Amino acid sequence: MSINPEIIHLLKTAQHVAILTGAGVSAESGVPTFRDAFSGLWEDFDPTELATPEAFLANPKMVWDWYAMRRTMIGEVAPNPGHHALVALESIVPKLTLITQNVDGLHQAAGSQAVLCLHGNLQRVRCFSNGHYVTEWAETDSVPVCPTCGDMLRPDVVWFGENLPVLEIETAFAAAADCDVFLAIGTSALVHPAASLPIEALKHGNPVIEINPEETPLTRSATYQLNGPSGVILPELVAAIT
Ligand code: OAD
C-alpha cells in the first residue's frame, strides 16, 4: 500500500506520538477477540454477563475457568509484526505513549516499554476483596484462594461495571491532549472511556490516524484512515519513516 505522504511527514516530525491499541492488533497472533472467544463450549454465554464482578460472585469457578482458558491460549501465542513495528517506532520518535485495551501482554512480550494497560493484565492474579497479588497458584476443582487472606483469587482485568486504573487513564488522556499525532489501531472504538481518547486528541487539534480493516464509529472523524491489518500496515509505516 502506498502511504499518504502527509502521514509520513506527521510521523517524521512528531515529538510525541500517542497510540491506542485494541484486540485487532493481536488478531494476527491468533488471539480471538473478546467476543470471538465465546465459541465452542462457551458459545451460550454472553461476554458482558460473564465479565462482571456479579457474575464472578454468582459463579466464581465458571468465570475463573473462562479466564484460565484465555490465559492458556495467550501463553501459546507470540507477538506479530504489528507489535514489533510499535517497538521499532518507540526507538525512532522522541516520545511515544502506548495505551492498550488488551490484556494479553503481547506488547510487553515484543519489548514495548511502559505500556499503559487500561483493562489490566490477564497474566496477573489478585484476591477479590483485598487486592493481594499472587504469582503462583494451583488449578483445582474450586477457585484458588489467596495465601495471605484466604479470599478467592480473580484475574487482574477490568470487568464491566468496574473503574479503570486511575493513573493509567489520566496519563492516557493527558497524552491524547499533548501528542502531535494519535494512532488508533485495531479497536472497534466502542468501549468508553478508551474510545474517547482519539476524540480527546481531535478536540485538541491533534490529527488521528486510524488503522483498521473495517469501518468503526471513529472512521468518519479520524483525520486519516489506513485500511488494512495492523501486522501489514505498521511495518510499512515504520519502514516509510526510517
Ligand atoms: P474489539 O474486539 O471490539 O474490536 C477489534 C477491532 O479490531 C475491530 O474493529 C476489527 O475490525 C479490528 N481488527 C480485526 N483484525 C484486525 C487486524 N488484523 N488489524 C487491525 N485491526 C483489526 O476489540 P477492542 O476495541 O479492543 O473490554 O475492544 C475494547 C474492549 O471491549 C476490550 O478491551 C474488552 C471488550 O469488552 C473489557 O474487557 C473491559
Side-chain angles (χ1 to χ4, degrees), residues 42-238:
W42 298 93
E43 66 191 7
D44 293 335
F45 292 95
D46 176 347
T48 56
E49 281 176 20
L50 190 132
T52 65
E54 293 77 21
F56 181 68
L57 289 174
N59 197 340
K61 180 64 174 154
M62 180 189 76
V63 175
W64 174 270
D65 281 350
W66 189 77
Y67 282 97
M69 178 270 289
R70 293 281 282 174
R71 194 177 296 116
T72 303
M73 183 192 307
I74 282 164
E76 290 162 358
V77 300
N80 67 57
H83 296 105
H84 292 303
L86 292 181
V87 179
L89 189 60
E90 195 167 20
S91 66
I92 298 170
V93 299
K95 180 176 178 187
L96 184 140
T97 304
L98 179 56
I99 309 153
T100 191
Q101 297 165 89
N102 299 342
V103 295
D104 55 32
L106 288 177
H107 286 304
Q108 296 91 324
S112 283
Q113 307 292 315
V115 185
L116 291 172
C117 295
L118 296 184
H119 293 168
N121 185 330
L122 185 53
Q123 307 292 357
R124 279 197 316 248
V125 160
R126 60 181 156 93
C127 70
F128 188 80
S129 305
N130 300 311
H132 297 131
Y133 283 95
V134 174
T135 50
E136 279 179 40
W137 65 92
E139 296 291 344
T140 62
D141 288 344
S142 50
V143 174
V145 294
C146 174
T148 309
C149 66
D151 198 18
M152 284 189 295
L153 298 181
R154 58 162 284 178
D156 189 24
V157 299
V158 176
W159 280 330
F160 291 100
E162 293 186 317
N163 291 328
L164 273 64
V166 174
L167 181 65
E168 278 79 354
I169 193 68
E170 282 182 2
T171 311
F173 271 95
D178 172 72
C179 68
D180 301 304
V181 55
F182 188 101
L183 275 72
I185 312 171
T187 176
S188 57
L190 287 170
V191 178
H192 291 271
S196 305
L197 289 166
I199 308 300
E200 179 76 2
L202 289 169
K203 245 193 250 167
H204 285 81
N206 307 330
V208 170
I209 304 168
E210 182 181 55
I211 301 176
N212 200 311
E214 308 283 338
E215 289 214 349
T216 75
L218 175 66
T219 307
R220 276 189 189 191
S221 19
T223 323
Y224 302 97
Q225 161 78 10
L226 292 172
N227 197 249
S230 51
V232 174
I233 290 188
L234 284 172
E236 284 181 5
L237 206 52
V238 169

